[in-house]
Amino acid sequence: MRARTLAIAAAATIGIALLALAIFVATFDANRYKPQLAELVRAHTGRTLSLEGDLALSLWPRIGLSTGPAALSGQDGRGESARIEGGTLAIPIRPLLSGRLQIEAIALRGLSVALDAAQPAQGWRLEAAELRAGPVADREPGQLELDGRLRSAASGADLALAIESGYLAELAAGRVALDGLKAGLEGAVAGLARVRAIIGGQARLDLNDRSAVAERLTIEASAPDGPKLALAGSGRASLAPESAELELKGTLDDGTVAISARLDRFAPLSARWELTAGEVDLDRLSERFAAIERSAPPPAKPAPAAGPDRGAGAAGAAGGRPAPPPAGRPAAEPAMPAIADVETRGKLKVGQLRVSGLTISELAGSAATGAGRIAVESLTGKLNGGALQARVAMAAAGHRLAGSLAGVDAGSLVREASGRDALEGRGDLRFDLATRGFDADSALRDLGGTASFALRDGAVKGVDLDRLMGQVRAALEGRLPVEGPTRAGDRTPFQSLTASFRIAGGVATSSDLDLQADWLRASGEGRVDLPARTLDWLVRATMTGSPGAGAGDAAARRDVFQRLQGVPVPIRLSGRFDDLRYRVEVRDLAAGVARKEVERRLTEKLEERLGLQPAQPASPEAPKDPLRQLKDLLRR
């Protein structure tokens, strides 16, 4: 009887307790504590917490707190740095009864975070994310998962993000260790439609010191049919004071690469870096990047225009992608790379760089970025046997390249740069060029500046002036005109070749070309239209001696020399780069030959009238000028 009474009493007590608990839960209004929560956040962070949805509390089988939409402002209560559509927090009752606080699970849905405090709307954002973590307890292992999208309205990047990691928290010490960290990224970035990256490693976070250390860090990035990057190393970061260091080594395709960087400030970012690479083939990388772009699916059709109550800002907030330009408006011009707005300074060393068909070895330089500008302040290397010294500056307003090449093999330089075998010789080049635009066509159209070269002991290919002079004799006798295409086997050797150019609108003009050979001298003027790939040049070649062995018999060659010695032979070279033709301006040449013949006969008549004998070849005295002798006779 006594036992039965005790059982009934215990059951009644439990029932009353459960009824009281039910009444408490039913009547408890967690929303009354919203002001206190907002004030707590403001006091500790200086930010404003807006709890737009309702708070709800549950007590069985665990204590649970759920919330609807909520937002966190930026620094000093301005803007919006983070938002959630909803979240839940679960606390098991049993550990709580024993005096231990343990969070069984945290879940946030519709998480959006502005990662760039300076540009919350246009910078990088984490959007549409789902966060799951638990348990959160002292020295108990837990698991973290985050899925969402990384987007940048400014650059058009849109990447799927997936993070998972185990963790162990030391709540009293304020430390968290992440083990087996793996982050995956896939999507569009840097103008490429399909990029995949996997980042792994271990990390230790010290919440009290506000610092982090990453160990066994690995980075693998690739794209279908594109280059592959694999790096490994370590890093550290601190928020007080702001600083970070990163050391990575690995491969880019088949070449080695090493990167070290130090950040001195996070907002705005300031960094120092050093990049060392073995072999980098930018031509091959460009081809592979182009293949990625060609294989990318066509862009989706733009959505219907939003109503008047949903402008660009609302669209950006909802989807994170910039709205397409209105119909009929041209697409925006390519902009400077994002790094131009970041303050950095670093050093570059590349064992061998291949770019635009050229191979530069032992490349070294100092570079700086910031304020919308990219500058390579000193660039040295070896190019086609010559010593390269240059400086480069890029900005939205225009770009500049200035420098020199000393002792360069000009023939191989032209072959590698243009694919044409047009020149032999070694010498010096100087250039100071300016342009605008971000593609080859625009850069050529706006190219301006100056350039010059001085070559020695080489040959101009495609034209044989020795053979051409023989053809000139036939032209003077009224035969076929002297013209034709340049030929691969023809060449005109020279002892020196110099010229300087002024460049405007992609057209290079010169009026001081000078060629010196053992039997002739040539001067010239003309223009090279780089965008149209055409050339129009007028060369005046003057024979100063008898050419060496060549086509034709000795008598004919002597006749050519006697008739053309001292007479400028005008030769026009014109046409497209791949279809050049030469033509001797026979009418101008005939006038020159006639003048020479008249001068010769007048001189002979004058000598005859004055009774002068022609100078003997063996005489040690130089012949006197007949005109000067005539003047002397008139003075008597």
Side-chain angles (χ1 to χ4, degrees):
M1 186 72 177
R2 181 180 179 84
R4 182 179 179 184
T5 302
L6 290 175
I8 293 173
T13 302
I14 293 174
I16 292 171
L18 290 175
L19 178 60
L21 184 60
I23 294 172
F24 172 77
V25 172
T27 59
F28 178 79
D29 185 7
N31 293 294
R32 291 184 300 176
Y33 297 92
K34 284 183 178 181
Q36 290 89 330
L37 289 174
E39 178 59 27
L40 185 66
V41 170
R42 188 201 63 76
H44 284 80
T45 67
R47 300 171 184 260
T48 300
L49 174 63
S50 299
L51 296 170
E52 303 167 2
D54 291 334
L55 298 178
L57 178 68
S58 62
L59 296 179
W60 189 263
R62 61 186 62 83
I63 298 175
L65 179 67
S66 62
T67 180
L72 185 67
S73 73
Q75 291 287 352
D76 302 326
R78 294 174 304 201
E80 183 178 286
S81 63
R83 167 174 287 275
I84 61 170
E85 296 303 319
T88 59
L89 178 69
I91 300 175
I93 295 176
R94 182 175 295 179
L96 194 61
L97 294 176
S98 62
R100 293 185 298 113
L101 175 63
Q102 177 177 321
I103 300 175
E104 185 175 81
I106 297 175
L108 300 177
R109 66 180 186 277
L111 173 64
S112 176
V113 180
L115 303 178
D116 188 346
Q119 302 182 67
Q122 295 296 315
W124 285 94
R125 295 182 61 88
L126 172 64
E127 296 185 345
E130 303 286 332
L131 172 65
R132 300 170 295 277
V136 180
D138 191 37
R139 297 180 180 275
E140 288 197 20
Q143 188 70 22
L144 171 92
E145 295 180 357
L146 175 67
D147 298 305
R149 301 199 74 85
L150 276 177
R151 289 170 173 159
S152 171
S155 65
D158 188 354
L159 296 162
L161 170 67
I163 299 176
E164 60 181 38
S165 176
Y167 63 84
L168 184 68
E170 298 180 48
L171 300 180
R175 290 193 293 264
V176 179
L178 300 178
D179 186 27
L181 173 64
K182 182 179 179 181
L185 292 165
E186 182 173 355
V189 66
L192 303 177
R194 295 182 297 171
V195 175
R196 298 187 184 95
I198 298 176
I199 303 171
Q202 296 180 342
R204 298 194 309 273
L205 312 178
D206 192 320
L207 304 181
N208 294 327
D209 290 343
R210 304 177 70 188
S211 63
V213 176
E215 298 174 335
R216 290 193 282 180
L217 185 63
T218 62
I219 300 174
E220 296 180 0
S222 64
D225 301 320
K228 293 178 174 58
L229 176 68
L231 299 172
S234 61
R236 55 165 297 277
S238 173
L239 295 177
E242 291 184 344
S243 65
E245 294 180 1
L246 184 66
E247 297 282 344
L248 296 171
K249 293 182 179 180
T251 59
L252 175 60
D253 277 349
D254 299 328
T256 60
V257 62
I259 304 170
S260 64
R262 177 180 175 84
L263 275 62
D264 301 316
R265 187 178 64 240
F266 294 163
L269 187 66
S270 176
R272 289 174 290 163
W273 54 270
E274 185 169 336
L275 173 63
T276 303
E279 181 178 346
V280 179
D281 190 337
L282 290 183
D283 291 342
R284 185 174 62 179
L285 290 176
S286 297
E287 291 175 359
R288 299 181 73 174
F289 281 133
I292 298 172
E293 295 175 353
R294 288 193 299 268
S295 64
K301 294 182 179 180
D309 58 332
R310 292 182 59 85
R321 300 186 185 182
R329 182 181 299 176
E333 291 293 328
M336 285 286 291
I339 190 66
D341 293 319
V342 181
E343 180 184 323
T344 75
R345 182 172 293 275
K347 296 180 179 179
L348 172 72
K349 294 181 180 179
V350 181
Q352 182 172 290
L353 175 68
R354 185 164 180 82
V355 55
S356 299
L358 303 177
T359 302
I360 307 174
S361 59
E362 300 179 26
L363 181 68
S366 301
T369 66
R373 186 170 179 267
I374 300 175
V376 180
E377 297 164 347
S378 62
L379 189 67
T380 61
K382 295 181 179 179
L383 175 61
N384 296 92
L388 171 67
Q389 290 187 329
R391 61 185 185 276
V392 183
M394 293 180 61
H399 322 307
R400 185 179 180 187
L401 170 64
S404 64
L405 266 170
V408 67
D409 182 347
S412 63
L413 179 65
V414 172
R415 283 193 299 273
E416 293 180 8
S418 66
R420 290 181 50 80
D421 188 14
L423 193 65
E424 291 179 6
R426 185 175 292 274
D428 303 333
L429 282 74
R430 296 186 179 277
F431 47 89
D432 189 348
L433 307 174
T435 188
R436 295 185 299 175
F438 297 92
D439 60 85
D441 292 338
S442 298
L444 282 179
R445 286 194 302 268
D446 292 325
L447 186 65
T450 61
S452 64
F453 64 80
L455 306 180
R456 57 188 179 275
D457 300 328
V460 176
K461 295 186 174 182
V463 177
D464 184 352
L465 288 183
D466 185 1
R467 182 175 59 84
L468 189 146
M469 290 301 187
Q471 294 175 336
V472 167
R473 178 176 179 270
L476 293 175
E477 294 175 354
R479 300 181 186 176
L480 296 176
V482 181
E483 60 181 0
T486 57
R487 301 195 309 183
D490 290 349
R491 61 195 302 273
T492 299
F494 61 77
Q495 295 169 336
S496 68
L497 176 64
T498 64
S500 64
F501 299 85
R502 296 189 65 84
I503 308 168
V507 178
T509 59
S510 175
S511 59
D512 61 357
L513 182 139
D514 183 79
L515 181 146
Q516 301 278 349
D518 56 357
W519 59 278
L520 69 80
R521 176 173 181 175
S523 61
E525 58 187 22
R527 53 183 274 152
V528 181
D529 191 328
L530 296 175
R533 298 180 60 82
T534 61
L535 178 147
D536 186 8
W537 215 267
L538 180 62
V539 177
R540 296 177 177 85
T542 304
M543 297 181 65
T544 59
S546 179
D553 56 53
R557 294 170 64 80
R558 284 195 301 271
D559 179 64
V560 170
F561 174 67
Q562 291 173 357
R563 300 189 65 179
L564 297 181
Q565 184 182 22
V567 178
V569 178
I571 307 167
R572 185 169 294 277
L573 185 65
S574 61
R576 292 184 55 83
F577 292 168
D578 56 358
D579 186 26
L580 291 176
R581 300 182 64 84
Y582 67 86
R583 183 181 76 253
V584 176
E585 303 290 355
V586 178
R587 183 172 298 180
D588 295 341
L589 174 60
V593 172
R595 281 194 301 270
K596 180 188 176 184
E597 185 64 18
V598 171
E599 291 173 357
R600 183 184 66 80
R601 294 185 179 184
L602 286 176
T603 301
E604 290 177 353
K605 290 293 184 181
L606 182 60
E607 289 176 350
E608 181 181 349
R609 296 290 297 270
L610 295 175
L612 301 175
Q613 297 295 326
Q616 298 298 323
S619 174
E621 292 187 14
K624 293 184 179 180
D625 185 353
L627 294 177
R628 179 172 296 179
Q629 288 190 1
L630 177 60
K631 292 179 180 179
D632 292 340
L633 290 173
L634 292 174
R635 292 194 188 101
R636 295 176 183 175

